[in-house]
C-alpha cells in the first residue's frame, strides 16, 4: 500500500538524507531512518515549503486532519524529528523554530523525479500477532487482491459471508500481504473468544499493552493509536457487532493512519465502511459431460482434493469419480469449512460412500425451516453428519471440550475433560482423533501447540446438551484448573510485555473469565469462585485489566462467608481491591478499608511477605494524598517487617519505599543508601507476589536521579535520567514509564535543559492520556506550566499550573503539590502578583511543616526570600530566609538547593555593598561542584561570582 499512488514520485534530498514522500521512506546515506507516521507527515509538510515559515496551526491541520490535538503533540513529534535528523549536532541545522510564528525548514532542498520503489519494511511493532497463513490458499487470490485494493482507498473494509466460508483465512492472507506496507504493525484480534461485548475495547487495549483506567477504555485506545500507522484485523464480529461498529467508527475518525479489516456474518453498517461479500468457492456446474480435467479447475473441487490428499488419502480422481466430487461440492454450496470436513472422511469411506452419507443427512436437514439461510442449513447438516460419524468417546470429549473459550492446551483438555468415567489416556486419544478429523484445530502460540474448536463446531457441541450433573462437574473442573494455572503462573505475568508474549496468557484469561461468570452465576459454585477470583486478581492487575480486577475482587469479597473470611483468599482479594481502587479512584475510604483488612489478615497469619506488600500499598495510599509523615511511618514499619525474613523482593520493595520517603523528608544521604540497596536487591529478586512488586525497580531509579542532582551531581543525574527513561521504554510497561517521566522531568527542569524537559513533558502527557492515568495527566500539564514559567512565558505557565492544581486537589493526588506550588510562586512573582505569591509561599511552608515533605523547604525559603525582596525591598527578612535556607540545605546535604540560595544571597549582599562577604559565601559553595559546568545553576553562580569580583565596590 502506498500513500501517494502512481508509478513515479519525487525524491527530496537535503544534506545526507533522501526522502521519498510517496513511499514514506527516509534514508541517510542509504540507511533507512525509522520515523513514526506523524513524524513522517511532519517532515513531508516542512520539506514541501523549504525556507518558508509554517505556523503551528497549519502544521497541526496537515498532520492531524480532522483531529483535535494539543500543541504539545506537535512539539513531541517535532523533537522526535529533530533527534532523528541529528538537528543541532556537529553544526547540522535543518529546522528552525520561529518564536511566536512556527517552524521553518532551513536546509537546502533538491527534488528529482524517480520511479516508485516499494517501501522498506521493519519490525518495530512489538504487539504484532498475525497468525501464520496457509501455505496455499485455494480459490481466494482474486478476493485477496480486491480486498487489498479496497483497503488502499477505504480505511475500513468488512468481509461478510456465511459461517465457515473462509473469512478468517482471507483476512489473514490480506494481513500478510500488507504487513510490509504497515512495517509489521498488524494486530489480529479474535473476538470469537469474547462472550461479553463490554470487553471488546478492553481486550484490544490490553493486547496493545495499554494501561486501562477507570474511565472509558475507548479513549485510551484512541489516544494510543492516534499517531500510529497500523492495520487492525477484527475477526468474528457478528456476536458483538454493535460494539465493534461504534469502536471502528471512532477509530477511523480519530486515528487517520489506522486501517481496519473486519470479518463478520453481517456488515457493521457505519459510515465509511466498504463491504466485501465473500462468496462460496466456485463449483462445477451440474454437467455430466464435463471432463475430469475441467472439474479439477474449479476452486471448490481443488480444495476438496487437496484436503483429502493432505489427510493421507490416496485419491486418484478419474472420469467416473470426478462428477461425484463435483456433486459433493455443489451440495456443500462451496462452503470451505464444509468441504474440508467432508474431504477428511474420504480416507475412511471413499468418495462414493461419503457422497451417499452426505446425501442422506443433507436431505433430512433440508426438511427443516424454509426461512433459514441455505448455506447455514448446509453447514449445519455437515456438522450433524460429522458428529454422527464420531465414536461415542469422541462425541463425549467434543461436547466437554466446548467448555473452553478459544484456545486451550492439551494439559488443560486432559485435566478438565477427564473424569471418573473417562480416563486421561482415553481423552488424549480422542483429542488426537478429533484433530485428525478436523473437529478440533491446532495453532502454535509461543512454544506450545494450542487447540481450539471452530466457532461453528463449538456452537454445535454446546447445542448438544450434557446431563445436569455432568455439566456442573465439568464447570467445576474447568474453574479449578484455571485457578491452579493462575497460581502456578503468578510470577510470570509482570514480565510479559509484547503481543506475542501475551497471546497465550490472554487466551487463557478468556477461560478464566468464563469460569468466573459460571461460578458467580445462578447455578455456579461461589466457594470456587472466591478462590478463582483471589487467584485471578493479581494477574488481571499485572495485565492492566484494572476494571475487571476491581469487579471480581469486589464480587468475591461480597460473597465471603464465615468459612472463607480471614483466610489467604480474602487477604489477596482485599489487597487487589485496595490497590486497584487506589490507582483508579485515588484517596477513597473503600480502598483504605480493604488494605487495612488485608494487612490484618496477613499479620494474623504471620505472612510477612504479604505484610510487606500491604504496608507498601498503605504507604502509597498516604504518599499520594500528600500525608508524608504517615506514609513515612508505614515505610518504616514495612522495612521492619521485611528485615525479619530473607526475601530479596520484599527487601527491595521495603527499601525502595523507605528510600523514597527519606528522599522527600530531606534525608538525602540515608535515602541514597536505601535506594542503592533496593536496586541491588531487585537484581537478585526472583518470582514474587505480583502486587508486591507491581512497580518493580523504576521508582527507586527515578528517585535516585533526583537525589543525585540535589547532592550536587547534575551531570550524573542527567546521564542516569536518560538511562532510566530508556529502560522504562524498552520494558514496555506504560504505567512504569509514566511514573518515571512524571518524576524524572524534575532533573531536566532543575538543570535548565529546556529541550529535553519539553520532549519528556510531551511524552508524559501522551502516555498518561493514552493509558487513562488521570493523576499523571494533571501532573504532566502542571509540568508544562513549570517549563513555561522558566522559559519566560509566566502568564501562560501560571494559567496551566492553576488549572492543573485544581484538578490535582479534586482527585487528592498531592504528592507533587509542593513542587508545583514553588513554580506557581515563581510565576506569580514574575507577573507582578507578589502579594499572592507571598501568601502562597507562607501557606506552602505551613503545609510542608504539617505534612512532612521537608525536602522542598530550602527552595521554598529561597523563593520566599526573593518574593520579600520584591515587596518594598525587605532585605532583613529576605536575608533571614536565605540564611535559613542555606542552613537547611547543608543539614539535608542538598548542594543543589544550597548553590541556588548562595547565588541569590551573594547577589543581594553585593548590591548592598558587601562584595567581600558575598564572594566569601558563594565561592566555596561553587567550588563543591566538580561537574555540571553547563547546567543552569552553575552558569548562574559563575556569572554572579564574576559580577562580584568585577564590581567597583569590591576593587
Amino acid at each position: 500500500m502506498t500513500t501517494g499512488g502512481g508509478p513515479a514520485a519525487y525524491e527530496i534530498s537535503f544534506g545526507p538524507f533522501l526522502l521519498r514522500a510517496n513511499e514514506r521512506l527516509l534514508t541517510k546515506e542509504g540507511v533507512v531512518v525509522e520515523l513514526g507516521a506523524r513524524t513522517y507527515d511532519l517532515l513531508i509538510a516542512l520539506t514541501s515549503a523549504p525556507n518558508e515559515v509554517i505556523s503551528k496551526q497549519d502544521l497541526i491541520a496537515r498532520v492531524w486532519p480532522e483531529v483535535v490535538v494539543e500543541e504539545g503533540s506537535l512539539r513531541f513529534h517535532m523533537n522526535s524529528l529533530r533527534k532523528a535528523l541529528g538537528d543541532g549536532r556537529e553544526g547540522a541545522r535543518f529546522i528552525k523554530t520561529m518564536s511566536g510564528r512556527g517552524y521553518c525548514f532551513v536546509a537546502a532542498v533538491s527534488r528529482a523525479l524517480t520511479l516508485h520503489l516499494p517501501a522498506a519494511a521493519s519490525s518495530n511493532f512489538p504487539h504484532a500477532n498475525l497468525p501464520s497463513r496457509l501455505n496455499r490458499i485455494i480459490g481466494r487470490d482474486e478476493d485477496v487482491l480486491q480486498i487489498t485494493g479496497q483497503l488502499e482507498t477505504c480505511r475500513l473494509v468488512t468481509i461478510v459471508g456465511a459461517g465457515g466460508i473462509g473469512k478468517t483465512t482471507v483476512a489473514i492472507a490480506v494481513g500478510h500481504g500488507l504487513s510490509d506496507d504497515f512495517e509489521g504493525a498488524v494486530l489480529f484480534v479474535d473476538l470469537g473468544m469474547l462472550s461479553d461485548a463490554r470487553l471488546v475495547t478492553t481486550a484490544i487495549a490490553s493486547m496493545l499493552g495499554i494501561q486501562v483506567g477507570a474511565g472509558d477504555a475507548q479513549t485510551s485506545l484512541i489516544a494510543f493509536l492516534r499517531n500510529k500507522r497500523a492495520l487492525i484485523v477484527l475477526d468474528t464480529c457478528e456476536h458483538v457487532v454493535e460494539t465493534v461498529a461504534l469502536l471502528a467508527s471512532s477509530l477511523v475518525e480519530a486515528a487517520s493512519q489506522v486501517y481496519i479489516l473486519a470479518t463478520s456474518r453481517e456488515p457493521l453498517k457505519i459510515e465509511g465502511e466498504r463491504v466485501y461479500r465473500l462468496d462460496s468457492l466456485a463449483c462445477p456446474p451440474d454437467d455430466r459431460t464435463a471432463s475430469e480435467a475441467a472439474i479439477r479447475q474449479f476452486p471448490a473441487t481443488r480444495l476438496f482434493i487437496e484436503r483429502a490428499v493432505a489427510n493421507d488419502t490416496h485419491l486418484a480422481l478419474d472420469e467416473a469419480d470426478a462428477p461425484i466430487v463435483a456433486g459433493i461440492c455443489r451440495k456443500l454450496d462451496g462452503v470451505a469449512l464444509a468441504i474440508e470436513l467432508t474431504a477428511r472422511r474420504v480416507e475412511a469411506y471413499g468418495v462414493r460412500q461419503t457422497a451417499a452419507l452426505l446425501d442422506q443427512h443433507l436431505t433430512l436437514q433440508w426438511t427443516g425451516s424454509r426461512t433459514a439461510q441455505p448455506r447455514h442449513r448446509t453447514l449445519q447438516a455437515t456438522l450433524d453428519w460429522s458428529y454422527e460419524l464420531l465414536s461415542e468417546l469422541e462425541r463425549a470429549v467434543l461436547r466437554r471440550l466446548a467448555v473452553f473459550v478459544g484456545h486451550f492446551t492439551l494439559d488443560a483438555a486432559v485435566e478438565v475433560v477427564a473424569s471418573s468415567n473417562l480416563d486421561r489416556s482415553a481423552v488424549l486419544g480422542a483429542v488426537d482423533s478429533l484433530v485428525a478429523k478436523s473437529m478440533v484445530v491446532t495453532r502454535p502460540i509461543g512454544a506450545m501447540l494450542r487447540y481450539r474448536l471452530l466457532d461453528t463446531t463449538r456452537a454445535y457441541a454446546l447445542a448438544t446438551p450434557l446431563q445436569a450433573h455432568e455439566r456442573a462437574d465439568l464447570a467445576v473442573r474447568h474453574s479449578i484448573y484455571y485457578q491452579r494455572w493462575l497460581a502456578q503462573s503468578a510470577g510470570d505475568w509482570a514480565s510479559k510485555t509484547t503481543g506475542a508474549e501475551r497471546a497465550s496468557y490472554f487466551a487463557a484469561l478468556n477461560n478464566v473469565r468464563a469460569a468466573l461468570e459460571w461460578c458467580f452465576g445462578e447455578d455456579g459454585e461461589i466457594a470456587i469462585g472466591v478462590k478463582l477470583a483471589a487467584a485471578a486478581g493479581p494477574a488481571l492487575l499485572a495485565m492492566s485489566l484494572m476494571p475487571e480486577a476491581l469487579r471480581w475482587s469486589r464480587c468475591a469479597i461480597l460473597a465471603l462467608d464465615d468459612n472463607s473470611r480471614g483466610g489467604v483468599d480474602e487477604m489477596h482479594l482485599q489487597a487487589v481491591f485496595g490497590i486497584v481502587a487506589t490507582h483508579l479512584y485515588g484517596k477513597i475510604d473503600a480502598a483504605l478499608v480493604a488494605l487495612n483488612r488485608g494487612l490484618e489478615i496477613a499479620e494474623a497469619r504471620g505472612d510477612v511477605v504479604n505484610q510487606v506488600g500491604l504496608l507498601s500499598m498503605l504507604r502509597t495510599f498516604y504518599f499520594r494524598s500528600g500525608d508524608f509523615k504517615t506514609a513515612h511511618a508505614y515505610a518504616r514499619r514495612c522495612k521492619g517487617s521485611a528485615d525479619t525474613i530473607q526475601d530479596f523482593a520484599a527487601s527491595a520493595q521495603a527499601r525502595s519505599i523507605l528510600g523514597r520517603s527519606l528522599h522527600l523528608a530531606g534525608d538525602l544521604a540515608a535515602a541514597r543508601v536505601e535506594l542503592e540497596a533496593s536496586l541491588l536487591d531487585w537484581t537478585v529478586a526472583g518470582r514474587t507476589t505480583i502486587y508486591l512488586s507491581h512497580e518493580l525497580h523504576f521508582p527507586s531509579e527515578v528517585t535516585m536521579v533526583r537525589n543525585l542532582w540535589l547532592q550536587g551531581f547534575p551531570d550524573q543525574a542527567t546521564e542516569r535520567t536518560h538511562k532510566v527513561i530508556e529502560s522504562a521504554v524498552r520494558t514496555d510497561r506504560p504505567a512504569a514509564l509514566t511514573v518515571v517521566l512524571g518524576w524524572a522531568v524534575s532533573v531536566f527542569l532543575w538543570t535548565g535543559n529546556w529541550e529535553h524537559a519539553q520532549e519528556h513533558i510531551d511524552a508524559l502527557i501522551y502516555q498518561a492520556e493514552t493509558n487513562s492515568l488521570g493523576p499523571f495527566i494533571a501532573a504532566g500539564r502542571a509540568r508544562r506550566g513549570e517549563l513555561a514559567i522558566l522559559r519566560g512565558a509566566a502568564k501562560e505557565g501560571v494559567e496551566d499550573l492553576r488549572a492543573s492544581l485544581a484538578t490535582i486537589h479534586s482527585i487528592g493526588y498531592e504528592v507533587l503539590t509542593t513542587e508545583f506550588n514553588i513554580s506557581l510562586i515563581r510565576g506569580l512573582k514574575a507577573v507582578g502578583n507578589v502579594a499572592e505569591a507571598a501568601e502562597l509561599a507562607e501557606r506552602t511552608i505551613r503545609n510542608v511543616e504539617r505534612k512532612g515533605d521537608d525536602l522542598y523547604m530550602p527552595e521554598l525559603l529561597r523563593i520566599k526570600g526573593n518574593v520579600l525582596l520584591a515587596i518594598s525591598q525587605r532585605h532583613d527578612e529576605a536575608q533571614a530566609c536565605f540564611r535559613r535556607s542555606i542552613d537547611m540545605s547543608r543539614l539535608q546535604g542538598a548542594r543543589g538547593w544550597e548553590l541556588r540560595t548562595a547565588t541569590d544571597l551573594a547577589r543581594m549582599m553585593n548590591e548592598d555593598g558587601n562584595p567581600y562577604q558575598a564572594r566569601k559565601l558563594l565561592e566555596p559553595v561553587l567550588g563543591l561542584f566538580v561537574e555540571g559546568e553547563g547546567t543552569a545553576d552553575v552558569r548562574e553562580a559563575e556569572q554572579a561570582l564574576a559580577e562580584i569580583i568585577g564590581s567597583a565596590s569590591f576593587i
Side-chain angles (χ1 to χ4, degrees), residues 463-642:
T464 308
L466 299 166
Q467 295 183 2
H469 73 279
E470 185 182 6
R471 182 171 62 252
D473 290 346
L474 183 67
V476 166
R477 291 195 298 275
H478 181 257
S479 301
I480 291 175
Y481 174 83
Y482 282 101
Q483 175 200 339
R484 187 169 64 249
W485 172 78
L486 285 165
Q488 291 170 348
S489 63
D492 301 330
W493 289 88
S495 64
K496 306 304 174 186
T497 58
T498 68
E501 289 175 337
R502 292 177 174 182
S504 61
Y505 286 78
F506 276 113
L509 273 183
N510 285 304
N511 282 287
V512 172
R513 291 184 180 108
L516 285 166
E517 294 284 0
W518 178 81
C519 286
F520 291 105
E522 185 176 350
D523 298 319
E525 291 283 350
I526 291 178
I528 296 174
V530 168
K531 291 184 174 296
L532 181 59
L540 293 169
L541 178 61
M543 302 301 274
S544 300
L545 297 168
M546 290 191 180
E548 286 188 78
L550 187 74
R551 174 194 175 191
W552 292 117
S553 58
R554 177 193 285 130
C555 186
I557 288 170
L558 293 173
L560 291 169
D561 57 20
D562 292 339
N563 293 326
S564 52
R565 285 193 184 91
V568 66
D569 291 330
E570 186 190 356
M571 179 184 69
H572 289 308
L573 289 167
Q574 298 284 8
V576 169
F577 179 87
I579 292 167
V580 175
T582 300
H583 279 289
L584 295 181
Y585 304 114
K587 187 179 179 181
I588 61 170
D589 291 341
L592 184 59
V593 169
L595 291 171
N596 278 317
R597 173 59 179 161
L599 178 61
E600 178 187 347
I601 297 171
E603 289 176 336
R605 296 179 59 84
D607 186 341
V608 180
V609 169
N610 281 295
Q611 287 177 45
V612 172
L614 285 155
L615 286 166
S616 171
M617 278 309 303
L618 281 162
R619 172 262 177 194
T620 298
F621 180 89
Y622 288 104
F623 186 78
R624 289 188 168 199
S625 63
D627 187 351
F628 303 108
K629 290 182 178 179
T630 303
H632 187 77
Y634 274 105
R636 288 284 184 193
R637 209 174 141 190
C638 181
K639 176 65 164 54
S641 295

Side-chain angles (χ1 to χ4, degrees), residues 750-772:
W750 291 342
T751 57
N753 193 330
W754 308 148
E755 291 299 323
H756 281 137
Q758 185 69 71
E759 176 185 350
H760 291 94
I761 288 169
D762 290 341
L764 167 61
I765 295 172
Y766 174 77
Q767 289 290 334
E769 289 178 342
T770 298
N771 294 287
S772 297

Side-chain angles (χ1 to χ4, degrees), residues 269-500:
K269 297 180 180 178
I270 59 177
E271 186 177 351
E273 178 189 28
R274 184 76 174 268
V275 176
Y276 187 90
R277 193 165 295 278
L278 191 65
D279 292 326
S280 55
L281 295 172
C283 300
D286 188 9
D287 182 1
R288 290 289 176 178
T289 65
S291 67
E292 175 266 338
I295 289 173
R296 278 182 178 271
Q297 299 305 310
F298 286 86
T301 49
R302 281 169 33 219
L303 177 63
F304 184 97
I305 295 166
E306 179 166 301
R307 293 298 183 264
V309 172
N311 203 45
D312 295 330
T313 301
H314 178 68
L315 182 60
L317 198 64
D318 56 19
E319 294 292 342
D321 285 341
I324 299 174
V325 170
I328 290 173
C329 292
R330 284 196 303 274
K331 288 184 176 69
L332 297 174
D333 286 338
V335 175
L337 174 60
I339 291 171
E340 292 189 19
L341 290 171
T342 306
R344 303 285 192 224
R345 305 299 169 269
V346 174
E347 179 187 17
Y349 298 100
V351 171
R352 294 175 183 270
Q353 184 63 22
T354 297
L357 289 169
L358 183 64
D359 231 348
Q360 296 168 21
H361 289 270
L362 282 175
T363 302
L364 290 173
Q365 185 63 28
W366 288 338
T367 60
S369 171
R370 295 181 181 274
T371 62
Q373 290 289 333
R375 294 191 184 97
H376 182 239
R377 295 202 305 267
T378 303
L379 183 59
Q380 180 68 44
T382 304
L383 289 168
D384 275 341
W385 168 78
S386 298
Y387 181 78
E388 291 177 14
L389 290 179
L390 300 176
S391 67
E392 287 299 327
L393 171 63
E394 292 165 348
R395 292 179 190 176
V397 171
L398 181 67
R399 289 197 302 271
R400 294 186 181 190
L401 287 176
V403 74
F404 292 102
V405 179
H407 291 92
F408 54 88
T409 63
L410 188 58
D411 175 68
V414 172
E415 292 292 328
V416 173
V417 172
S419 63
S420 58
N421 60 356
L422 190 59
D423 62 45
R424 296 167 64 92
S425 61
V427 173
L428 280 169
V431 170
D432 187 57
S433 179
L434 289 168
V435 170
K437 295 178 179 179
S438 298
M439 299 299 288
V440 175
V441 296
T442 61
R443 175 193 169 192
I445 300 180
M448 187 178 294
L449 193 66
R450 307 283 166 161
Y451 297 78
R452 178 177 181 247
L453 269 63
L454 294 169
D455 295 340
T456 48
T457 306
R458 181 171 184 262
Y460 182 90
L462 288 172
T464 308
L466 299 166
Q467 295 183 2
H469 73 279
E470 185 182 6
R471 182 171 62 252
D473 290 346
L474 183 67
V476 166
R477 291 195 298 275
H478 181 257
S479 301
I480 291 175
Y481 174 83
Y482 282 101
Q483 175 200 339
R484 187 169 64 249
W485 172 78
L486 285 165
Q488 291 170 348
S489 63
D492 301 330
W493 289 88
S495 64
K496 306 304 174 186
T497 58
T498 68

